[in-house]
Each structure stands twice: as C-alpha cells, then as structure tokens.
Amino acid sequence: EWTGAQRALAAAVALLPASALAGALVAVGRVCREYGVGRLFSDRVLRAYRQLGVALVAMTVLHWLQPTLLGLALALTLPPGQRFVTVGVSSETLLLILLTALVFLLGSVMRVAQRVQSENAEIV
C-alpha cells in the first residue's frame, strides 16, 4: 500500500518532463512575438532559440529519467532485497534527442543569418 508521501513523490516525478515542456513553450512564445513584429534575426530570437534548446535538453533528460525515478518510488514500498531499478530508452527519447539537435542546429543557422543581415545593412 502506498503512503501519501509516495503518491505525492510519484505525481511529482510524473510531472517533471511537463515542467521542462512549459519552459520550451515559453521560449517558442518569445520567438513568435519577435517574428510577429518583424525581428527575425534579433538577439532576443537567438536567446529564445538557445532557451528552447536548453529546455528540450532538460525535457529529454527528465523524460529518460522518469521511468527510473518512478520505479524507485514504487520500489520503496518493497522490503529490502526485493527493490529494483529500471533503466530504458524508448523511441520517444530518441525522437526528443533528434528534435533537440535540430533546434540547436536552427539556432546556429539563425546566428549566421543575423551576421549576414547586419553585414547587408552596413552595405546599403
């Protein structure tokens, strides 16, 4: 039987990736606001892409650790000698890694585009 503390711990572990997702959504909102006013290559856009990448890294790590932490929370109810630890990698985790890499790649492309835009502004 689970105690209230174990239930609260399991719920907190289940919400960890969602907290990182909230940070990613805030970063996407910042990018969209900058795009909406026509600042496609501003420093704010680059910072927001960086924040998005960091949030996706956090979400990927937390998504990967979540089953392990949840297994540990469940194992606390078992007597010594019967406790266990689970570790796994799913296709969702691999997809998050790919998405995170793409965001960092897009951020570096945006940095180059910002340099080109500033060089073009100096010429004109």
Side-chain angles (χ1 to χ4, degrees):
E1 187 68 28
W2 279 27
T3 66
Q6 288 170 323
R7 290 174 196 248
L9 178 62
V13 166
L15 291 174
L16 285 175
S19 63
L21 177 61
L25 291 174
V26 167
V28 168
R30 289 180 181 147
V31 169
C32 291
R33 277 192 299 279
E34 288 296 305
Y35 283 178
V37 294
R39 292 188 294 250
L40 302 179
F41 307 113
S42 69
D43 288 335
R44 287 182 182 176
V45 169
L46 295 178
R47 275 194 307 274
Y49 272 114
R50 214 171 300 120
Q51 290 168 349
L52 176 60
V54 168
L56 288 174
V57 167
M59 188 172 74
T60 301
V61 169
L62 292 172
H63 180 75
W64 179 65
L65 286 176
Q66 182 185 22
T68 302
L69 295 174
L70 191 54
L72 286 172
L74 290 170
L76 292 175
T77 61
L78 300 174
Q82 294 182 353
R83 295 182 179 152
F84 60 91
V85 175
T86 60
V87 177
V89 176
S90 68
S91 59
E92 289 177 12
T93 304
L94 296 175
L95 182 62
L96 284 171
I97 291 169
L98 175 65
L99 178 66
T100 301
L102 287 174
V103 167
F104 278 114
L105 179 64
L106 180 61
S108 65
V109 168
M110 295 297 283
R111 192 169 329 141
V112 171
Q114 182 188 40
R115 284 188 217 133
V116 169
Q117 183 187 32
S118 65
E119 288 173 6
N120 288 343
E122 290 176 7
I123 293 171
V124 174

